[in-house]
Amino acid sequence: MADRIVVVTGGARGIGRAIVDRFAADGATVVIGDLTDPGEVGAGLDVAGHREWVPLDVTDETSVLEFAQSVEAGHGGVDVLVNNAGIMAERSITEESLAEWDLTMAVNLRGPFLMAKHLVPLMEGREGASIINMGSIEGLAANRHHAAYCASKGGVHALTRALAVDLGPIGIRCNAIAPGWIDTDLNRSYIERHPDREQVVADLARLHPVARIGDPADIAATACWLASADAGFVTGQVIQVEGGRTVRLSLPTALEP
Ligand code: NDP
């Protein structure tokens, strides 16, 4: 990834931060677009590349435009755009407010649209350019009370295919990663609110053929592969990185072997 300019939205923490660190370790210059300053972006890892933060609210077109101008002024272009920023709320459909529905759509789906709209001009003509959108296995199936999140991630998967078709002729690939259960703040609250945390972690692991939940580094490794020349013939795909969770059929506990 040496000499490559990589933009990661929501790169201050969680999966985004692991992607930032992985690309930087592989030698890229990484621009973190996030609401808040992650602070020690230069510290913590012995990386070959460079990391910096530029303020960004992916829901706001003015913010996205200013971000694009800043990246263009600082680096002249972009090779890889990772649309990772995302939010989730747990509500039944009757409890879901219009404001919360709209915010989920704005961050998870409008964000990748605005970022593609304003960063594609910086990616045109750069060999091996690609966009990676963060989808979810909840764009393919649903947990209860996740209607807005599931709808937004289904939209991300469809946007990915549409961008692959539109941008392929100008040399930009577009793929999505659909993570399963990854250990980040986004879903840690589910585990923390249960009195027997260890039991929940053990039960979660049992849902996965690989017998564990995911680590942000699992997603970062896939993002790096999708951005590499090794994935040069891969576009329009939704790559599930979920430890086999969606291929394991569930049984009542009493019937589990
Ligand atoms: P986290 O909540 O840990 O991190 C999300 C990051 O996005 C934060 O740094 C947050 O900033 C930033 N962000 C939120 N809103 C905006 C915005 N409007 N503009 C710019 N940045 C913003 O999430 P995860 O790392 O767990 O998730 C990352 C992505 O992966 C999301 O798209 C999520 O839907 C997806 N995903 C996650 C799964 C999981 O199990 N964790 C499973 C499947 C998909 P701040 O801290 O300032 O709020």
Side-chain angles (χ1 to χ4, degrees):
M1 291 295 154
D3 302 327
R4 311 218 83 198
I5 311 300
V6 178
V7 165
V8 183
T9 71
R13 60 190 171 95
I15 292 172
R17 182 56 193 262
I19 293 171
V20 168
D21 290 346
R22 173 63 196 258
F23 275 99
D26 287 358
T29 294
V30 190
V31 183
I32 299 171
D34 207 300
L35 294 171
T36 42
D37 185 347
E40 34 41 280
V41 283
L45 261 190
D46 183 16
V47 294
H50 166 77
R51 294 170 287 180
E52 68 189 48
W53 169 68
V54 174
L56 171 68
D57 178 351
V58 297
T59 69
D60 177 2
E61 188 163 25
T62 303
S63 172
V64 172
L65 264 168
E66 286 171 2
F67 178 87
Q69 284 162 0
S70 165
V71 174
E72 186 173 23
H75 303 288
V78 171
D79 297 297
V80 181
L81 165 61
V82 184
N83 282 314
N84 163 80
I87 57 170
M88 180 179 70
E90 197 176 28
R91 300 269 182 269
S92 72
I93 198 69
T94 49
E95 286 170 336
E96 182 81 72
S97 70
L98 179 58
E100 197 167 58
W101 174 276
D102 285 347
L103 181 63
T104 304
M105 293 299 164
V107 178
N108 294 5
L109 191 51
R110 188 202 299 166
F113 153 64
L114 287 176
M115 291 298 291
K117 177 176 168 60
H118 293 297
L119 270 75
V120 159
L122 307 189
M123 302 176 79
E124 279 191 75
R126 294 176 76 99
E127 194 174 340
S130 88
I131 299 174
I132 299 162
N133 294 326
M134 207 51 67
S136 172
I137 57 170
E138 290 210 71
L140 307 162
N143 286 315
R144 294 195 70 216
H145 296 171
H146 281 187
Y149 185 74
C150 291
S152 73
K153 292 300 184 179
V156 168
H157 296 175
L159 176 68
T160 299
R161 291 185 280 268
L163 291 183
V165 170
D166 284 358
L167 303 178
I170 59 167
I172 303 174
R173 294 180 297 107
C174 182
N175 292 287
I177 299 173
W181 192 293
I182 311 296
D183 188 18
T184 71
D185 293 342
L186 186 97
N187 56 25
R188 211 165 279 149
S189 58
Y190 283 102
I191 299 178
E192 303 299 344
R193 76 187 171 200
H194 196 277
D196 191 348
R197 185 183 189 284
E198 279 183 20
Q199 185 62 51
V200 180
V201 171
D203 288 349
L204 267 172
R206 236 192 319 278
L207 297 175
H208 296 75
V210 297
R212 67 171 176 92
I213 62 170
D215 186 272
D218 293 318
I219 306 304
T222 306
C224 228
W225 169 69
L226 280 172
S228 76
D230 283 350
F233 200 50
V234 180
T235 195
Q237 303 305 305
V238 178
I239 311 289
Q240 292 174 228
V241 184
E242 33 81 304
R245 183 170 175 200
T246 61
V247 299
R248 185 188 192 282
L249 298 174
S250 57
L251 280 172
T253 312
L255 295 182
E256 284 284 359

